[in-house]
Amino acid sequence: MQGSGETSVTLPEQRSAVGYRCNSLGTVRPLRRPADAHEKQAVFSDMAGAFIKQKMERSQHKCSKCWHPKNRCICQKCSPLNFTVDVRFTMYLHYTEFLTASDDAKLMQLGAPDLTEILIYGKEGDDERLEHLVQENPSSTFLLYPSPEAITVEEFLSRWQGQQKFSADCMQKQASQPQLHLVVLDGTWRRTRMMLRHLTRHLKLPIPHIKLSPTTLSVYSRTQAQPDRICTVEAVALLLQEMGEDAGTCRSLISLVELNNQALANYVPKGGKKRVEREDSEVSAEAAPEVKTSLSLGGGD
């Protein structure tokens, strides 16, 4: 039975036969639990698609690259970086991070615009695109995620060198060698675990996992209290540094996070005090938003 103030709704391009309800706050919920895994996936696609569509409609005032309002766009303050490591990045974001100014993974398309592709978990067509990218060269693709099966950076470098028969500077750009493809999950810790299950169980992508062991606290605006919880761009910078990337380039990646933090801190809503933007609650396809914990790199909760 629907609660007070709730109305039945039909979602755009609805795939599931499950009905939906919407309350006065715009929160969409299914009328019943999905009957099986197939219906559960259809419900997820419906709700994610509705969330993305609504977020895009409400984000016309935002820059399409940095996801800040156009009147405080940070793109002109960012310059593409020169990487010595031959790598390209696929940032796989949870749909609730899409167009959120406080998300940091989008910064990769500012620092490495020609090397970065952003895909959205829950967006139609993006899973197929990810499968295509992995299948192009599966032996060169790795996932940055601290799963129980993940290997250390040292093991990764040893495996990569063994596969490619590289010299000591194996990660440097060489025309005869395939480009490394790094896939990075972006979302809260709980949501990235769900995304990992989706990749392994539904897409069945054979991607080896890499884990890191950072020792310093995050500079991310949604502050972490543990050294093994760092933001997505910090994780990428740390991995690149251990792969032999120039230290200045890695520091420049981190500076993008700090620049994003400053833009958030300077945001003053009408009639209000300065605050860090929390846009997760603008559109609610799920319950309450979580504090962002992009990657727990030590392998534990």
Side-chain angles (χ1 to χ4, degrees):
M1 182 176 180
Q2 294 184 14
S4 176
E6 293 185 342
T7 57
S8 297
V9 294
T10 299
L11 301 183
E13 301 179 5
Q14 186 169 316
R15 298 169 178 80
S16 169
V18 175
Y20 297 92
R21 63 181 184 273
C22 180
N23 64 21
S24 58
L25 297 177
T27 303
V28 177
R29 299 291 185 200
L31 291 174
R32 61 172 175 80
R33 294 179 64 87
D36 53 33
H38 178 75
E39 191 171 70
K40 183 177 180 180
Q41 184 62 35
V43 168
F44 169 78
S45 297
D46 287 345
M47 296 183 67
F51 183 97
I52 292 169
K53 182 176 184 294
Q54 193 175 19
K55 194 72 176 285
M56 292 178 68
E57 291 172 351
R58 296 189 179 189
S59 300
Q60 297 298 314
H61 65 295
K62 291 185 177 183
C63 170
S64 61
K65 293 183 178 179
C66 71
W67 299 351
H68 285 280
K70 294 175 183 177
N71 62 355
R72 53 192 177 93
C73 171
I74 64 173
C75 293
Q76 291 186 345
K77 299 179 181 179
C78 305
S79 299
L81 303 176
N82 294 318
F83 293 88
T84 58
V85 171
D86 194 12
V87 61
R88 61 190 173 103
F89 310 96
T90 297
M91 315 304 290
Y92 190 56
L93 281 62
H94 192 273
Y95 67 87
T96 55
E97 300 294 334
F98 181 52
L99 292 175
T100 299
S102 54
D103 178 73
D104 71 298
K106 52 87 188 288
L107 297 171
M108 290 300 301
Q109 65 182 347
L110 301 181
D114 296 330
L115 300 173
T116 301
E117 183 165 352
I118 290 183
L119 301 178
I120 309 299
Y121 170 55
K123 185 178 180 182
E124 186 176 5
D126 278 16
D127 277 352
E128 290 77 11
R129 174 60 180 166
L130 180 59
E131 287 182 287
H132 173 74
L133 291 173
V134 172
Q135 291 167 0
E136 278 187 330
N137 202 333
S139 64
S140 300
T141 300
F142 292 83
L143 175 70
L144 181 56
Y145 194 83
S147 65
E149 300 80 21
I151 60 176
T152 65
V153 176
E154 292 77 12
E155 292 172 318
F156 156 70
L157 291 175
S158 176
R159 178 181 300 186
W160 181 253
Q161 291 176 29
Q163 287 179 351
Q164 307 305 329
K165 297 181 176 61
F166 279 178
S167 59
D169 60 344
C170 65
M171 302 310 301
Q172 306 306 308
K173 294 180 180 179
Q174 300 182 37
S176 61
Q177 303 297 344
Q179 187 178 43
L180 178 67
H181 178 207
L182 184 64
V183 179
V184 186
L185 304 185
D186 181 71
T188 62
W189 178 227
R190 178 178 65 84
R191 288 169 179 165
T192 55
R193 285 186 294 182
M194 178 174 61
M195 294 161 69
L196 180 66
R197 288 196 296 271
H198 174 70
L199 291 180
T200 55
R201 296 179 184 178
H202 296 282
L203 299 186
K204 294 180 171 51
L205 296 180
I207 310 175
H209 305 165
I210 309 172
K211 61 184 177 182
L212 302 174
S213 299
T215 57
T216 58
L217 289 176
S218 174
V219 301
Y220 193 42
S221 65
R222 287 183 268 187
T223 307
Q224 313 302 332
Q226 298 173 245
D228 66 343
R229 298 287 175 94
I230 64 178
C231 76
T232 303
V233 171
E234 286 177 311
V236 171
L238 181 58
L239 176 62
L240 289 175
Q241 183 172 306
E242 297 196 35
M243 290 164 55
E245 184 56 72
D246 177 72
T249 300
C250 296
R251 284 195 300 269
S252 294
L253 272 180
I254 300 300
S255 71
L256 293 178
V257 181
E258 295 169 336
L259 175 64
N260 200 61
N261 290 349
Q262 187 60 47
L264 294 168
N266 288 338
Y267 173 56
V268 182
K270 292 181 179 179
K273 299 179 179 179
K274 284 186 178 182
R275 65 180 176 86
V276 173
E277 195 171 32
R278 291 300 305 276
E279 297 175 286
D280 288 319
S281 57
E282 285 183 355
V283 189
S284 298
E286 298 193 350
E290 295 183 78
V291 174
K292 176 75 173 291
T293 308
S294 297
L295 289 172
S296 172
L297 298 169
D301 235 333

